[in-house]
Each structure stands twice: as C-alpha cells, then as structure tokens.
Amino acid sequence: MAFTRATGKHRAPSRLTRGSAKIAGAAALATTGVIGGMASPALAADSSISETGLNQVIAIEGALADQIDAQADAQKHQADVAAKAKAEAQRKAEAKKRAEAKKMAEAKAKAEAKRAAEARAEKARAARSAERTRLGSFQLPVAGSYVTTGYKSSGSLWSSGSHSGIDFHAASGSSVVAVGAGTVVEAGWGGAYGNNIVLRMTDGTYTQYGHLSSIGVSVGQSVGAGQQIGLSGSTGNSTGPHLHFEARTTPSYGSDMDPVAYLRAHGVNV
Ligand SMILES: [Zn+2]
C-alpha cells in the first residue's frame, strides 16, 4: 500500500506539474492576449516572451511603424507642399494687391492730370473770352458822363467853324479811358487841343482825347478798353474843364467822323 501511496505520492507532483503547466499556459495565453490587446512596444521588446504569435505581433507592429513613418513623411511632404502653395498664393495675392494699388494710383494720376488739363483749358477759354470782351467792348471815355456839345456844332471857338468832335461833361481830374483797345500814336501837346492823346484802334480807326490836365501813356503803348490814359482838364483852347473826344479815319485833324455814331456802332450807349 505504501508503494501505491508512494507511487501515488510520486505521481502527485507529475499531476501538479501538468497542472502548473496548464496554469502557466493559461497565464501565457492571458499575457499574450494582454500584449496583443495593448500592442505595447515595451512589452513587444521583451525577448523572454517568444511564443504564442508575439513575433507576428512585433512584425506587424514593425510594418505598421514603417507604414506610419511613411505616412508621416508623406504627410510632412504634403504639409511642405501645402505650405509652399500657401506661400506662393500669398505672394501672388500680394503681387495682385500691389498691381491693383499701382493701377489705382495710375488711374488716379490720370484723372488728376485730366482734371488739371480741363482746368487749364477752362482758364484759357476764360482768358480768350476776357480778351474778346476787352477788345470788343467799347465804353464811354469818361464813365457815366454825357455829351454837352454835339458834333458839327457851329461856333466861333473852332477854327473850322464847326465842332470836329463831341464834348463830354468831366470835372477837372476825371479819369479818361480808352474807349476800346488800341495803340497810342500821339501823346503830348496838340495846340488848340491842349494835352491830347490819339489812339489807333484795333479796327484801324482812330480816337482822340483833348484838353487833358495830364497824360498817363506814351507813344507805342498798347491800351485796353476802359484803361485809364489820362485825366481830364481844360488845357488848350477851352472855356472850362471837359473832355473833347473825336473819332477819325486817320490820326490827323480833319479826318473826323461822327463820334456818337462811332460809339453807338461799337455798342456804347451814348
Ligand atoms: Zn470839344
């Protein structure tokens, strides 16, 4: 019985070993399951575990890592490409913005130049208009005055026996102006006319201003309509301050024409 017991006793460890092995196997299986589930590189690197498909796990993980690396590289490359594309797009956008700004500045400068040219043209038009007015508009030789002695009036005062011009009322020192634009052809003492001025008008006719107290222009000078040429007075053969005015076809005495008709023909209300 002792042998049986002994044998039984002896066999017991064997059973125990098998049992332990079973337990160890289960543990290993459990561990493998854990390792597989966790996919932990730290546990995968443990060389003491070399059974139950762990190598396969490591191999798969290695391939996966390579794949991830490749993916990361590809992603990095894509990111680089994207960054370059973005930078390029930004550069293009800025270039476009600059080009647009330049275009706008050019358009603005062009518009400015156009406005300036128009302003110059308008100014030139105004100047031409003023010049036409200056040349065209005749006026009274003494502003606001009136005729006191008419043309061809008879009297002992005039050498010809009749008045070769008209007399305008003018207190001594009144401003005497050119009735229209012209050039001074005579400025000085004129005998019976006293201090006198003769102008050659732009239309080729002549006007004369006599008995002046002072002369303000000299021969050869250009004058505009309404420009003061002297002051009225009573110099020469005169009975009192007034302006003697003549219209002539030549600069000389004796070529007189009707001064009232002449002024009226030039638009003067006299
Ligand atoms: Zn007179």
Side-chain angles (χ1 to χ4, degrees):
M1 286 300 278
F3 286 107
T4 304
R5 210 163 44 239
T7 304
K9 258 183 163 178
H10 187 254
R11 286 173 66 193
S14 177
R15 279 205 307 277
L16 184 68
T17 304
R18 280 202 300 279
S20 298
K22 273 181 188 168
I23 292 161
L29 205 66
T31 309
T32 303
V34 169
I35 290 164
M38 285 179 72
S40 166
L43 284 170
D46 186 351
S47 59
S48 65
I49 303 162
S50 56
E51 299 285 342
T52 70
L54 195 61
N55 285 341
Q56 203 180 344
V57 171
I58 292 165
I60 288 167
E61 289 207 344
L64 198 64
D66 287 349
Q67 215 175 329
I68 289 166
D69 282 352
Q71 207 171 0
D73 283 349
Q75 279 171 351
K76 189 177 182 299
H77 178 68
Q78 276 173 357
D80 286 350
V81 167
K84 270 182 193 165
K86 194 181 171 187
E88 181 66 16
Q90 207 168 352
R91 194 189 63 73
K92 276 183 182 168
E94 278 168 9
K96 196 180 171 192
K97 214 168 158 185
R98 275 198 301 275
E100 277 170 2
K102 195 184 170 195
K103 208 170 159 188
M104 271 178 76
E106 281 171 354
K108 200 179 167 189
K110 206 173 165 187
E112 196 66 40
K114 197 182 169 193
R115 269 199 297 279
E118 281 171 355
R120 277 197 301 276
E122 179 54 39
K123 206 175 168 186
R125 270 196 298 275
R128 279 197 298 274
S129 175
E131 181 66 3
R132 272 197 302 274
T133 302
R134 191 180 75 81
L135 292 172
S137 75
F138 272 56
Q139 46 200 279
L140 288 171
V142 177
S145 186
Y146 54 92
V147 176
T148 54
T149 308
Y151 183 54
K152 298 289 186 190
S153 298
S154 59
S156 56
L157 197 65
W158 303 295
S159 56
S160 65
S162 77
H163 202 199
S164 54
I166 51 176
D167 292 343
F168 280 99
H169 172 80
S172 190
S174 298
S175 177
V176 174
V177 303
V179 292
T183 307
V184 179
V185 294
E186 188 182 326
W189 189 254
Y193 291 114
N195 292 316
N196 90 131
I197 294 167
V198 178
L199 303 180
R200 184 185 192 276
M201 314 310 286
T202 51
D203 64 359
T205 60
Y206 294 81
T207 54
Q208 189 238 8
Y209 312 77
H211 309 307
L212 302 173
S213 62
S214 77
I215 292 170
V217 291
S218 50
V219 172
Q221 187 178 333
S222 289
V223 294
Q227 184 180 329
Q228 181 174 302
I229 53 177
L231 298 176
S232 64
S234 189
T235 54
N237 193 0
S238 170
T239 54
H242 71 281
L243 173 74
H244 177 86
F245 174 81
E246 289 187 21
R248 299 173 177 172
T249 56
T250 76
S252 309
Y253 169 79
S255 66
D256 55 271
M257 51 183 167
D258 183 352
V260 170
Y262 175 86
L263 288 173
R264 283 179 181 165
H266 285 90
V268 180
N269 185 19
V270 61

